[in-house]
Amino acid sequence: MIKYIRTLFFILVFAPLPLQAFYWSPHIGIDWKYWGAEPKNKQWEYYKDTWPDISNALSFYAGSRVNGFFGFDLGYEQSTTKEKPHLFDGTQTFLTSIPAPAGDSSKVEVRLKAWYANFNFYWEMVRNLELIGMVGLSNLKPDTHIFYVNAGQATEISQKTPSKASARLGLGMQYNPWWFLGLKAMVIFDQISRLNYEGHDVNNNFFSIKPYKNATSFHLGFVFSYSPPRR
């Protein structure tokens, strides 16, 4: 995946250089992000009952235009910590396919973090209003704590979740009321479903689960440019 994105980047950026002068227009940006990461709920996987939705996040990035049409961003994003408690009724499962005893409970805390690189195409539809196409790659890592409560005794379950590479595709718009300030909105598809948790529950039963669906996220933020993004 990285090889293909790198190849596409060089084709998109350097192919039009004879037609469009090469120049740098650095920028920094900040977005509020609605991550839209929701847990699955199918078959015996009652993740919707026991895992929290991930919603609010902030995204910070720096990048540059390399001409009037192409550019890149390097950034970091992090969600707020969300938690979800749940009381089992004796028919629901948690980390394995074995139903948890009635009266037991769980609490799951999750925060998502990601470093990312985006390659962008900008098309000016009308003066100061651009359509943006984006392809990118992120290194996604959750910060998760899983607790199981039996007879009032809470036990944190040991688990591991390796970082996962996640492809990103996005579409958005940017409006520049002044050359140095842009208002930017994006819709981005994230491969959250690649996150895989492994460990052993309180009864030493092994589990390997992917509790989240892929996410469609919404971004709204500001871009501050150090030179005119278009010439």
Side-chain angles (χ1 to χ4, degrees), residues 208-230:
S208 179
I209 61 174
K210 294 182 178 181
Y212 284 98
K213 300 185 290 186
N214 286 328
T216 300
S217 61
F218 300 88
H219 297 239
L220 185 63
F222 299 96
V223 183
F224 303 92
S225 298
Y226 291 90
S227 60
R230 285 188 172 273

Side-chain angles (χ1 to χ4, degrees), residues 182-197:
L183 307 177
K184 186 176 178 182
M186 294 289 296
V187 179
I188 298 177
F189 172 78
D190 291 308
Q191 290 183 298
I192 305 299
S193 67
R194 301 203 68 229
L195 293 176
N196 186 68
Y197 290 84

Side-chain angles (χ1 to χ4, degrees), residues 16 56 63 102 105 116 120 129 137 141 144 176 183-184 214 223:
N56 295 326
S105 62
Y116 63 86
N120 308 312
L129 180 62
L137 192 68
K141 176 67 175 177
T144 306
N176 281 70
L183 307 177
K184 186 176 178 182
N214 286 328
V223 183

